[in-house]
Amino acid sequence: MKQSVKFHLNGRSASVDVDDEAMPLLYALRDDFGLRGPRFGCGLGQCGACTVHLDGRAVRSCQTPVKLVAGRQVTTLEGLGTAEKPHPIQEAFVVEQAAQCGYCINGMIMQAADLLQRHPRPSDAQIKAALAGNLCRCGTHLRILRAVKRAAGEIA
Amino acid sequence: MSINVMTRRAALQAGGMMVVAFSLGGSAKANAAALAAKPESLDEVDSFLAIDGKGAVTLYSGKVDLGTGVRTALAQIVAEELDVPFQAIAVVQGDTALTPDQGITYGSLSIQVGGMQIRQACATARKALLEQAAQRLSVPVTQLSITSGIVQSQSGTQVSYADLVGGKAFSLKVDKTAPTKPPSAYTVVGKPIPRVDIPAKVTGEFTYAQDFRLPGMLYGRPVRPAAIGATLLGVDESSIQHIPGIVKVVREGNFLGVVAETEWAAIRAARALKTRWSAWDGLPNERDLWSYVRSTKVAKDDVTSNVGNVPSALAAAHRTFKATYDFPIHTHGSIGPSAAVAAFENGTLTVWTAAQSTHALRHQLAAMLGMDASSVRCIYVAGSGCYGRNGHEDAAADAALLARAVGRPVRVQWMRWDEHGWDPKGPPTLVDLEAGVDARGNVVAWHGEFFIPMGAGAPVWLLPAQLAGKPAKIDLEPGNIIPDSALPYDFPNMYTVCHRLATTPLRPSWIRTPGRMQNTFANESFLDEIVAAVDADPLEFRLAHLKDPRGTELLHRVAKLARWETHEKGSRGKGKILRGRGLSYVHYELVRTYVAAVADVTVNRTTGKVRVERVAIAHDCGQIINPDGLRNQIEGNVVQMTSRTLLEEVKFSRSRVTSLDWASYPILRFPDVPEVTIDLIDRPTEPPWGAGEPTGAVIPGAISNAIFDATGVRLRSVPFTPKKMKAALASA
């Protein structure tokens, strides 16, 4: 028996029919809406690759049952900006060339955007602490750190 | 079903090989042949290059971008050598129907080998274009210049590449003597051109292998054995009947998988499916790993250096040293688990995945499926970084077996436990070292024995083929792991031998910096033991034993960068935080890239935690194609290898891998990432060497040496966990 879950996705109303309301939001975003920003990394809430914003706060979409987002605002990387019209954080990642394979970058940007909303001028330690739950295997950390500081206006 | 991919014919049209009424060389017969098929051999210009009617250039590259930025770097080489705008170049990578087979993308060879093949193809094309333009404009070649794909005479007449060859074949053999551009004239190579892939990667517009979809496709998940060598005794399909959307449970021998209409259904089914497997406990006891390795049958010995007479020099030495080093089993640790899509159509199989060699995969899949290789096409789609041969090839085989069973395209993405549990592993490395010094503290003898699996870098067998009992070549292929077992130093008596073991506990493959990382760790750490024992300075000692001027210049550069103070010792006091620094050097495989590192560490005496605070790197890989891309690779190597050195070790029971997530196999996190400073030595007139791996080789030794400098305690067993550090401090 399919259930319909209605929510707001990147500023537009969205609806998805699911036969298991415990299905993580991640699969609705990727498979039903065809989004590519949030990515499957571990399915365990350990790596951060699937991070999206739920009512403006960063959450792990692989650990968020889809029924939990009913009526709420979900924002993905696509909702921040596009290659033509990037969000300042996305722009900062390009300027700093802060990606290698780039698979983790969705989570880095979404987590950093959450941080910058609460702390517009974070210290290095605050950025590192905020991103401590986001894993990067290519070792792009130093560039990501610079990109977040650039987005915060701490380096120009 | 209709699969929207570029066909060979469409590619030829798009790439400019459609109408071959005229060509720059070769006969009408050759032109007709060029119509039939785009060449793939390494000696044809058309294998690498096409210029269309508008002057747009397509590079067909067998080397693929694994996240390292080579797509951008290779395009820079083309733009430079052809004198076309960088933006005019499109890159097709790793498509068995379109690109030449340039070998597996590994070993830091994409620029050094692949890029130079491409450069020479471009130089050949450029020479031919100039000659053709000379005819067309009736002026000698010497009076022509090229700007942005337009050939111009001194009098101002001009003809474009598009006019000369647009939409046509070159029909030329790559001319190894065609002159390449002098580096002094470079305007694109050597510049930090931003990577072409990054804007799409930060906006979600990039299509990873993990994103690739086909219309009408189904979702598959493998269900792996409960133990590595277990036999499947039974499957209870009723156990997943309650899950909507199940299409099929596919079983072939010990290969088992589920296919469903939705991804979530496939995931649920793979977890819920009740299975019975036979018991199997063929792995060694984890605690006895090193005695197991030491007692494993030796298949052959590879002597990697033999200078002078080590036994007599050791016997005559003033003082001798002996130590054993080990480096455990590691996983690649890709953040995105391996993924592939397979589709059968009219008896042909097409597979999209992030394999390091689609050409090799094509033959492996064909063998597994009993198909002709010409009926299999593999197309590279960039994935999450792989750092060696991880699981994409196996996921491709999973997808192919499942797609064939259900008659529809199937997408497979491994779960985290599949990736951690079943990707092939970097094998365990055990090293015995012995050395002797004379009365003045000079090394007079060096003896190294490396216990490492046999095999080299041929394609790693496909796990699904093995499980399904299909044809698969079950040979150990850990990569070329013997280099840098021999030393870069000029000692009078040296003997190093690699005992190539007939077996190793888990399916091996190459992980980034294979062998060189482990071997350099042992050699550079042991050297540091000797340096400390004879109260020499690590920098001066290396310089005294190094005759290679590029090596000595590199060491001077890293010393300057790190403000190395000779004979300055780290803190060995009773304080809680001890500080030290260590030096390490590698001449990669003794024939190419040079790297030196100085690592600064702190050791918390109470907790045993080692923190790498800073790493200074001097790097000489000859001609630099893209300095920012190079820095990105070096930084990444430092961070990944710091992680490997401090934290990583695959855990296993007698039956299977047990470190199946990021909690049981932790990697370095933001708060523990070191600062990195880099001195790039650019040598534009030298050949460009690889840079994807070499920096990794110096990191474990630099950290080990820094820990000794800080504590007076030598750690010889990676990873340097707090537990090991505390135990070593307590027993010191």
Side-chain angles (χ1 to χ4, degrees):
Chain A
M1 184 63 185
K2 295 227 176 197
Q3 305 284 318
S4 187
V5 179
K6 296 187 192 316
F7 59 107
H8 303 279
L9 178 58
N10 294 330
R12 294 181 183 177
S13 51
S15 175
V16 61
D17 294 333
V18 294
D19 49 41
D20 178 10
E21 290 183 323
M23 180 179 84
L25 173 63
L26 175 66
Y27 300 102
L29 297 175
R30 289 183 59 78
D31 297 334
D32 293 299
F33 295 100
L35 296 175
R36 286 171 288 181
R39 352 201 107 265
F40 175 80
C42 63
L44 304 164
Q46 294 179 340
C47 77
C50 66
T51 303
V52 302
H53 289 178
L54 183 58
D55 294 337
R57 293 303 307 269
V59 298
R60 305 293 187 242
S61 66
C62 79
Q63 295 295 296
T64 307
V66 69
K67 68 176 174 192
L68 213 80
V69 308
R72 300 170 73 180
Q73 303 279 345
V74 175
T75 307
T76 70
L77 186 66
E78 290 89 344
L80 285 194
T82 62
E84 273 73 49
K85 217 179 157 195
H87 184 277
I89 300 181
Q90 291 168 320
E91 205 166 0
F93 271 69
V94 175
V95 173
E96 294 294 340
Q97 291 285 287
Q100 290 187 41
C101 84
Y103 199 87
C104 70
I105 294 300
N106 165 71
M108 298 296 176
I109 291 176
M110 298 308 283
Q111 198 71 43
D114 174 299
L115 171 72
L116 294 183
Q117 274 168 25
R118 289 175 293 123
H119 300 283
R121 307 285 266 192
S123 66
D124 277 19
Q126 279 176 315
I127 299 171
K128 288 179 184 177
L131 296 178
N134 290 74
L135 299 180
C136 166
R137 184 55 159 172
C138 295
T140 320
H141 303 71
L142 299 165
R143 286 166 181 252
I144 294 168
L145 194 58
R146 284 202 298 273
V148 177
K149 289 167 75 170
R150 175 175 290 278
E154 291 170 18
I155 45 176
Chain B
M1 184 185 71
S2 168
I3 299 171
N4 184 24
V5 295
M6 195 188 236
T7 62
R8 179 183 292 265
R9 181 159 290 276
L12 297 180
Q13 290 168 2
M17 296 196 48
M18 177 56 180
V19 185
V20 192
F22 159 89
S23 76
L24 290 170
S27 62
K29 200 175 166 189
N31 294 338
L35 250 185
K38 180 189 172 301
E40 289 156 29
S41 66
L42 295 177
D43 64 352
E44 294 280 344
V45 172
D46 293 315
S47 298
F48 296 99
L49 285 176
I51 298 178
D52 75 7
K54 290 178 182 163
V57 178
T58 302
L59 165 65
Y60 296 96
S61 173
K63 294 291 187 190
V64 296
D65 194 330
L66 305 169
T68 58
V70 294
R71 183 189 180 118
T72 302
L74 294 174
Q76 283 179 258
I77 291 171
V78 173
E80 188 68 73
E81 215 57 48
L82 281 181
D83 272 317
V84 294
F86 175 78
Q87 295 77 7
I89 298 165
V91 184
V92 174
Q93 312 176 85
D95 182 334
T96 56
L98 299 174
T99 63
D101 181 1
Q102 294 182 277
I104 302 175
T105 302
Y106 65 0
S108 294
L109 298 168
S110 293
I111 298 291
Q112 181 176 332
V113 174
M116 295 308 96
Q117 290 166 340
I118 288 165
R119 177 178 280 171
Q120 204 56 42
C122 292
T124 306
R126 186 178 203 271
K127 180 166 173 264
L129 287 160
L130 275 172
E131 286 164 359
Q132 191 61 40
Q135 274 189 18
R136 189 78 76 92
L137 301 175
S138 304
V139 292
V141 165
T142 51
Q143 291 179 16
L144 295 174
S145 60
I146 310 174
T147 310
S148 293
I150 294 171
V151 189
Q152 206 159 20
S153 72
Q154 287 170 351
S155 65
T157 54
Q158 60 181 47
V159 60
S160 70
Y161 284 178
D163 292 336
L164 290 169
V165 74
K168 301 162 200 144
F170 286 96
S171 299
L172 282 171
K173 293 282 177 198
V174 174
D175 175 2
K176 288 188 174 143
T177 65
T180 54
K181 222 184 201 184
S184 57
Y186 282 173
T187 59
V188 185
V189 163
K191 299 289 182 291
I193 297 210
R195 276 174 49 170
V196 295
D197 53 333
I198 289 182
K201 284 180 173 176
V202 305
T203 54
E205 289 159 66
F206 192 85
T207 302
Y208 289 89
Q210 284 87 353
D211 299 318
F212 188 82
R213 301 280 195 276
L214 288 177
M217 76 176 192
L218 298 170
Y219 295 85
R221 286 292 183 279
V223 178
R224 296 295 184 220
I228 288 170
T231 300
L232 183 55
L233 301 176
V235 180
D236 175 9
E237 294 197 24
S238 69
S239 59
I240 56 169
Q241 263 179 357
H242 63 286
I243 300 170
I246 303 298
V247 174
K248 193 168 185 177
V249 174
V250 178
R251 179 183 174 178
E252 292 195 48
N254 294 318
F255 173 82
L256 185 63
V258 294
V259 181
E261 295 284 352
T262 67
E263 184 165 28
W264 182 238
I267 293 168
R268 287 174 74 196
R271 295 212 79 177
L273 188 65
K274 281 195 180 143
T275 53
R276 282 191 305 118
W277 299 88
S278 68
W280 183 89
D281 58 0
L283 291 177
N285 190 325
E286 185 184 280
R287 285 161 58 190
D288 302 331
L289 175 63
W290 300 115
S291 58
Y292 172 87
V293 168
R294 192 178 288 286
S295 62
T296 302
K297 186 183 158 215
V298 174
K300 66 162 180 166
D301 278 345
D302 287 322
V303 176
T304 53
S305 65
N306 190 1
V307 178
N309 186 327
V310 171
S312 64
L314 272 176
H318 173 70
R319 192 175 165 192
T320 59
F321 303 87
K322 214 171 176 176
T324 294
Y325 285 80
D326 61 64
F327 198 108
I329 304 173
H330 274 192
T331 195
H332 297 85
S334 303
I335 297 296
S338 299
V341 175
F344 286 85
E345 196 177 28
N346 304 325
T348 65
L349 168 66
T350 308
V351 168
W352 292 261
T353 190
Q356 287 183 307
S357 171
T358 48
H359 285 86
L361 177 62
R362 171 200 212 180
H363 290 285
Q364 288 189 293
L365 291 175
M368 177 182 80
L369 298 165
M371 293 172 69
D372 194 280
S374 63
S375 302
V376 179
R377 179 180 180 184
C378 296
I379 301 174
Y380 181 76
V381 187
S384 182
C386 61
Y387 325 105
R389 199 294 204 180
N390 68 335
H392 286 290
E393 292 82 351
D394 301 307
D398 286 329
L401 288 173
L402 296 177
R404 189 170 67 169
V406 297
R408 281 170 69 182
V410 172
R411 170 180 184 270
V412 167
Q413 181 165 9
W414 284 7
M415 302 305 287
R416 174 49 48 198
W417 44 85
D418 297 323
E419 187 78 19
H420 267 63
W422 295 91
D423 85 318
K425 302 291 187 281
T429 302
L430 181 69
V431 185
D432 287 340
L433 294 168
E434 196 175 356
V437 297
D438 64 18
R440 287 170 301 165
N442 292 315
V443 173
V444 292
W446 182 286
H447 180 96
E449 297 189 41
F450 298 74
F451 298 82
I452 51 178
M454 62 185 292
V460 174
W461 83 78
L462 299 175
L463 175 70
Q466 182 190 25
L467 292 173
K470 304 287 183 196
K473 204 159 164 263
I474 312 285
D475 289 337
L476 303 184
E477 300 292 353
N480 183 12
I481 56 176
I482 66 173
D484 292 310
S485 53
L487 295 178
Y489 304 108
D490 188 39
F491 299 144
N493 301 285
M494 295 187 285
Y495 180 82
T496 49
V497 59
C498 295
H499 301 304
R500 310 303 302 276
L501 309 179
T503 58
T504 192
L506 299 167
R507 182 174 62 137
S509 77
W510 45 94
I511 53 168
R512 195 181 198 176
T513 324
R516 294 83 157 177
M517 164 175 64
Q518 297 92 331
N519 303 343
T520 304
F521 158 61
N523 284 338
E524 283 293 297
S525 303
F526 188 59
L527 185 75
D528 201 69
E529 294 197 47
I530 299 165
V531 170
V534 302
D535 206 25
D537 176 76
L539 175 69
E540 289 178 349
F541 193 89
R542 283 175 173 80
L543 285 169
H545 289 286
L546 207 55
K547 287 208 169 140
D548 185 334
R550 280 174 81 163
T552 54
E553 182 185 346
L554 182 92
L555 282 169
H556 284 300
R557 296 272 289 255
V558 82
K560 192 175 174 209
L561 180 69
R563 298 170 195 270
W564 183 269
E565 294 171 299
T566 49
H567 292 282
E568 202 54 45
K569 291 260 174 25
S571 62
R572 309 262 184 102
K574 292 283 176 197
K576 186 179 163 192
I577 302 293
L578 306 175
R579 292 174 187 282
R581 65 186 348 201
L583 174 66
S584 179
Y585 166 78
V586 74
H587 183 193
Y588 209 59
E589 299 165 9
L590 305 185
V591 295
R592 47 191 186 130
T593 304
Y594 299 81
V595 193
V598 173
D600 285 285
V601 307
T602 54
V603 179
N604 185 314
R605 186 184 277 279
T606 314
T607 64
K609 179 170 175 168
V610 177
R611 197 172 183 290
V612 180
E613 305 286 341
R614 268 176 307 283
V615 178
I617 298 284
H619 194 280
D620 174 1
C621 60
Q623 181 188 89
I624 295 172
I625 308 297
N626 185 320
D628 190 61
L630 177 55
R631 284 176 185 276
N632 206 347
Q633 284 304 293
I634 293 170
E635 291 167 13
N637 264 296
V638 171
V639 174
Q640 186 175 113
M641 295 309 161
T642 299
S643 177
R644 291 196 180 283
T645 305
L646 296 183
L647 299 169
E648 299 180 31
E649 181 173 22
V650 168
K651 302 284 186 184
F652 52 92
S653 67
R654 300 297 300 270
S655 300
R656 59 181 295 164
V657 172
T658 54
S659 48
L660 297 173
D661 62 9
W662 295 117
S664 51
Y665 189 95
I667 61 172
L668 204 70
R669 293 169 182 274
F670 264 95
D672 293 321
V673 166
E675 289 173 34
V676 181
T677 54
I678 299 167
D679 184 5
L680 296 182
I681 301 174
D682 189 11
R683 301 186 190 275
T685 56
E686 294 290 332
W689 287 325
E693 298 175 333
T695 302
V698 292
I699 301 303
I703 295 172
S704 169
N705 298 345
I707 291 170
F708 177 83
D709 188 49
T711 64
V713 169
R714 176 65 56 180
L715 294 189
R716 302 187 183 91
S717 177
V718 168
F720 305 151
T721 58
K723 193 177 163 193
K724 280 189 195 165
M725 188 72 245
K726 268 178 85 168
L729 285 167
S731 63

PDB file of all heavy atoms in Angstrom, chain B residues 110 116 141 170 189 263 361 369-370 375 434 481 508 533 562 588 645 668 671 702:
ATOM      1  N   SER B 110      49.586   8.285 -15.893  1.00  0.00           N
ATOM      2  CA  SER B 110      48.654   8.906 -16.836  1.00  0.00           C
ATOM      3  C   SER B 110      49.314  10.015 -17.637  1.00  0.00           C
ATOM      4  O   SER B 110      49.079  10.145 -18.832  1.00  0.00           O
ATOM      5  CB  SER B 110      47.429   9.442 -16.095  1.00  0.00           C
ATOM      6  OG  SER B 110      46.685   8.369 -15.577  1.00  0.00           O
ATOM      7  N   MET B 116      52.207  11.397 -22.701  1.00  0.00           N
ATOM      8  CA  MET B 116      53.259  11.534 -23.711  1.00  0.00           C
ATOM      9  C   MET B 116      52.877  10.849 -25.021  1.00  0.00           C
ATOM     10  O   MET B 116      53.269  11.287 -26.096  1.00  0.00           O
ATOM     11  CB  MET B 116      54.585  10.996 -23.166  1.00  0.00           C
ATOM     12  CG  MET B 116      55.127  11.815 -21.986  1.00  0.00           C
ATOM     13  SD  MET B 116      55.241  13.619 -22.292  1.00  0.00           S
ATOM     14  CE  MET B 116      53.702  14.210 -21.591  1.00  0.00           C
ATOM     15  N   VAL B 141      56.753  25.779 -44.838  1.00  0.00           N
ATOM     16  CA  VAL B 141      56.323  25.544 -43.452  1.00  0.00           C
ATOM     17  C   VAL B 141      57.008  26.513 -42.484  1.00  0.00           C
ATOM     18  O   VAL B 141      56.412  26.980 -41.517  1.00  0.00           O
ATOM     19  CB  VAL B 141      56.621  24.070 -43.052  1.00  0.00           C
ATOM     20  CG1 VAL B 141      56.550  23.886 -41.545  1.00  0.00           C
ATOM     21  CG2 VAL B 141      55.641  23.137 -43.741  1.00  0.00           C
ATOM     22  N   PHE B 170      42.821  11.854 -40.015  1.00  0.00           N
ATOM     23  CA  PHE B 170      44.225  12.181 -40.271  1.00  0.00           C
ATOM     24  C   PHE B 170      44.873  11.067 -41.089  1.00  0.00           C
ATOM     25  O   PHE B 170      45.707  11.306 -41.938  1.00  0.00           O
ATOM     26  CB  PHE B 170      44.983  12.341 -38.950  1.00  0.00           C
ATOM     27  CG  PHE B 170      44.672  13.610 -38.217  1.00  0.00           C
ATOM     28  CD1 PHE B 170      43.719  13.634 -37.199  1.00  0.00           C
ATOM     29  CD2 PHE B 170      45.323  14.781 -38.538  1.00  0.00           C
ATOM     30  CE1 PHE B 170      43.438  14.808 -36.519  1.00  0.00           C
ATOM     31  CE2 PHE B 170      45.050  15.962 -37.861  1.00  0.00           C
ATOM     32  CZ  PHE B 170      44.097  15.975 -36.855  1.00  0.00           C
ATOM     33  N   VAL B 189      50.603  24.501 -20.915  1.00  0.00           N
ATOM     34  CA  VAL B 189      51.258  23.544 -20.019  1.00  0.00           C
ATOM     35  C   VAL B 189      52.080  24.313 -18.990  1.00  0.00           C
ATOM     36  O   VAL B 189      52.758  25.287 -19.339  1.00  0.00           O
ATOM     37  CB  VAL B 189      52.146  22.573 -20.826  1.00  0.00           C
ATOM     38  CG1 VAL B 189      53.146  21.852 -19.927  1.00  0.00           C
ATOM     39  CG2 VAL B 189      51.271  21.563 -21.562  1.00  0.00           C
ATOM     40  N   GLU B 263      15.392   0.858  -5.643  1.00  0.00           N
ATOM     41  CA  GLU B 263      16.654   0.660  -4.945  1.00  0.00           C
ATOM     42  C   GLU B 263      16.413   0.236  -3.498  1.00  0.00           C
ATOM     43  O   GLU B 263      17.069  -0.654  -2.978  1.00  0.00           O
ATOM     44  CB  GLU B 263      17.469   1.960  -4.997  1.00  0.00           C
ATOM     45  CG  GLU B 263      18.842   1.821  -4.382  1.00  0.00           C
ATOM     46  CD  GLU B 263      19.784   2.955  -4.743  1.00  0.00           C
ATOM     47  OE1 GLU B 263      19.286   4.075  -4.999  1.00  0.00           O
ATOM     48  OE2 GLU B 263      21.001   2.728  -4.778  1.00  0.00           O
ATOM     49  N   LEU B 361      38.524  -4.735 -18.400  1.00  0.00           N
ATOM     50  CA  LEU B 361      37.249  -5.219 -17.859  1.00  0.00           C
ATOM     51  C   LEU B 361      36.415  -5.893 -18.955  1.00  0.00           C
ATOM     52  O   LEU B 361      35.772  -6.914 -18.707  1.00  0.00           O
ATOM     53  CB  LEU B 361      36.477  -4.045 -17.240  1.00  0.00           C
ATOM     54  CG  LEU B 361      35.091  -4.371 -16.697  1.00  0.00           C
ATOM     55  CD1 LEU B 361      35.175  -5.397 -15.567  1.00  0.00           C
ATOM     56  CD2 LEU B 361      34.388  -3.101 -16.201  1.00  0.00           C
ATOM     57  N   LEU B 369      31.180 -14.336 -19.040  1.00  0.00           N
ATOM     58  CA  LEU B 369      29.863 -14.579 -19.622  1.00  0.00           C
ATOM     59  C   LEU B 369      29.912 -15.505 -20.832  1.00  0.00           C
ATOM     60  O   LEU B 369      28.875 -15.828 -21.412  1.00  0.00           O
ATOM     61  CB  LEU B 369      29.233 -13.242 -20.034  1.00  0.00           C
ATOM     62  CG  LEU B 369      28.993 -12.262 -18.883  1.00  0.00           C
ATOM     63  CD1 LEU B 369      28.717 -10.868 -19.421  1.00  0.00           C
ATOM     64  CD2 LEU B 369      27.855 -12.733 -17.996  1.00  0.00           C
ATOM     65  N   GLY B 370      31.114 -15.925 -21.222  1.00  0.00           N
ATOM     66  CA  GLY B 370      31.241 -16.758 -22.409  1.00  0.00           C
ATOM     67  C   GLY B 370      30.856 -16.013 -23.670  1.00  0.00           C
ATOM     68  O   GLY B 370      30.285 -16.582 -24.606  1.00  0.00           O
ATOM     69  N   SER B 375      31.557  -8.217 -28.436  1.00  0.00           N
ATOM     70  CA  SER B 375      30.151  -7.992 -28.093  1.00  0.00           C
ATOM     71  C   SER B 375      29.985  -7.307 -26.738  1.00  0.00           C
ATOM     72  O   SER B 375      28.873  -7.181 -26.234  1.00  0.00           O
ATOM     73  CB  SER B 375      29.394  -9.327 -28.058  1.00  0.00           C
ATOM     74  OG  SER B 375      29.500  -9.980 -29.288  1.00  0.00           O
ATOM     75  N   GLU B 434      68.644  -5.472   8.210  1.00  0.00           N
ATOM     76  CA  GLU B 434      69.878  -5.621   8.965  1.00  0.00           C
ATOM     77  C   GLU B 434      70.925  -4.715   8.326  1.00  0.00           C
ATOM     78  O   GLU B 434      70.959  -4.595   7.099  1.00  0.00           O
ATOM     79  CB  GLU B 434      70.347  -7.085   8.901  1.00  0.00           C
ATOM     80  CG  GLU B 434      71.371  -7.438   9.942  1.00  0.00           C
ATOM     81  CD  GLU B 434      71.720  -8.937   9.912  1.00  0.00           C
ATOM     82  OE1 GLU B 434      71.102  -9.684   9.129  1.00  0.00           O
ATOM     83  OE2 GLU B 434      72.618  -9.334  10.668  1.00  0.00           O
ATOM     84  N   ILE B 481      54.785  -4.400  -6.538  1.00  0.00           N
ATOM     85  CA  ILE B 481      55.066  -4.017  -5.144  1.00  0.00           C
ATOM     86  C   ILE B 481      56.522  -4.190  -4.732  1.00  0.00           C
ATOM     87  O   ILE B 481      56.847  -4.029  -3.565  1.00  0.00           O
ATOM     88  CB  ILE B 481      54.145  -4.785  -4.155  1.00  0.00           C
ATOM     89  CG1 ILE B 481      54.270  -6.296  -4.353  1.00  0.00           C
ATOM     90  CG2 ILE B 481      52.702  -4.324  -4.303  1.00  0.00           C
ATOM     91  CD1 ILE B 481      53.463  -7.107  -3.340  1.00  0.00           C
ATOM     92  N   PRO B 508      44.112  -9.807  -2.953  1.00  0.00           N
ATOM     93  CA  PRO B 508      44.884  -8.560  -2.984  1.00  0.00           C
ATOM     94  C   PRO B 508      44.650  -7.752  -4.250  1.00  0.00           C
ATOM     95  O   PRO B 508      44.165  -8.273  -5.261  1.00  0.00           O
ATOM     96  CB  PRO B 508      46.321  -9.054  -2.945  1.00  0.00           C
ATOM     97  CG  PRO B 508      46.285 -10.362  -3.678  1.00  0.00           C
ATOM     98  CD  PRO B 508      44.904 -10.953  -3.434  1.00  0.00           C
ATOM     99  N   ALA B 533      71.480   6.079  16.166  1.00  0.00           N
ATOM    100  CA  ALA B 533      72.425   5.283  16.953  1.00  0.00           C
ATOM    101  C   ALA B 533      73.856   5.800  16.809  1.00  0.00           C
ATOM    102  O   ALA B 533      74.649   5.708  17.747  1.00  0.00           O
ATOM    103  CB  ALA B 533      72.341   3.821  16.528  1.00  0.00           C
ATOM    104  N   ALA B 562      61.349  23.444   5.534  1.00  0.00           N
ATOM    105  CA  ALA B 562      60.950  23.045   6.895  1.00  0.00           C
ATOM    106  C   ALA B 562      61.801  23.726   7.963  1.00  0.00           C
ATOM    107  O   ALA B 562      61.614  23.466   9.146  1.00  0.00           O
ATOM    108  CB  ALA B 562      61.059  21.526   7.036  1.00  0.00           C
ATOM    109  N   TYR B 588      61.314   7.578  -6.524  1.00  0.00           N
ATOM    110  CA  TYR B 588      60.263   6.613  -6.824  1.00  0.00           C
ATOM    111  C   TYR B 588      60.756   5.558  -7.807  1.00  0.00           C
ATOM    112  O   TYR B 588      61.165   5.876  -8.928  1.00  0.00           O
ATOM    113  CB  TYR B 588      59.040   7.344  -7.379  1.00  0.00           C
ATOM    114  CG  TYR B 588      57.725   6.641  -7.081  1.00  0.00           C
ATOM    115  CD1 TYR B 588      57.327   6.391  -5.780  1.00  0.00           C
ATOM    116  CD2 TYR B 588      56.871   6.237  -8.109  1.00  0.00           C
ATOM    117  CE1 TYR B 588      56.129   5.759  -5.497  1.00  0.00           C
ATOM    118  CE2 TYR B 588      55.667   5.608  -7.841  1.00  0.00           C
ATOM    119  CZ  TYR B 588      55.299   5.364  -6.533  1.00  0.00           C
ATOM    120  OH  TYR B 588      54.109   4.739  -6.264  1.00  0.00           O
ATOM    121  N   THR B 645      48.807   5.690   8.127  1.00  0.00           N
ATOM    122  CA  THR B 645      49.890   5.440   9.069  1.00  0.00           C
ATOM    123  C   THR B 645      49.405   5.437  10.519  1.00  0.00           C
ATOM    124  O   THR B 645      49.869   4.647  11.335  1.00  0.00           O
ATOM    125  CB  THR B 645      50.983   6.512   8.900  1.00  0.00           C
ATOM    126  OG1 THR B 645      51.391   6.535   7.529  1.00  0.00           O
ATOM    127  CG2 THR B 645      52.179   6.230   9.776  1.00  0.00           C
ATOM    128  N   LEU B 668      41.238   9.446   8.866  1.00  0.00           N
ATOM    129  CA  LEU B 668      41.546  10.750   9.447  1.00  0.00           C
ATOM    130  C   LEU B 668      40.392  11.740   9.238  1.00  0.00           C
ATOM    131  O   LEU B 668      39.806  11.793   8.159  1.00  0.00           O
ATOM    132  CB  LEU B 668      42.819  11.304   8.796  1.00  0.00           C
ATOM    133  CG  LEU B 668      43.618  12.318   9.605  1.00  0.00           C
ATOM    134  CD1 LEU B 668      44.290  11.665  10.806  1.00  0.00           C
ATOM    135  CD2 LEU B 668      44.702  12.967   8.718  1.00  0.00           C
ATOM    136  N   PRO B 671      39.724  17.538  12.288  1.00  0.00           N
ATOM    137  CA  PRO B 671      40.525  18.103  13.389  1.00  0.00           C
ATOM    138  C   PRO B 671      41.958  17.568  13.433  1.00  0.00           C
ATOM    139  O   PRO B 671      42.826  18.189  14.033  1.00  0.00           O
ATOM    140  CB  PRO B 671      39.740  17.694  14.651  1.00  0.00           C
ATOM    141  CG  PRO B 671      38.341  17.480  14.165  1.00  0.00           C
ATOM    142  CD  PRO B 671      38.484  16.917  12.784  1.00  0.00           C
ATOM    143  N   ALA B 702      58.393   9.327   7.564  1.00  0.00           N
ATOM    144  CA  ALA B 702      58.584  10.648   8.182  1.00  0.00           C
ATOM    145  C   ALA B 702      57.886  10.703   9.537  1.00  0.00           C
ATOM    146  O   ALA B 702      58.416  11.262  10.506  1.00  0.00           O
ATOM    147  CB  ALA B 702      58.042  11.739   7.257  1.00  0.00           C
TER     148      ALA B 702
END
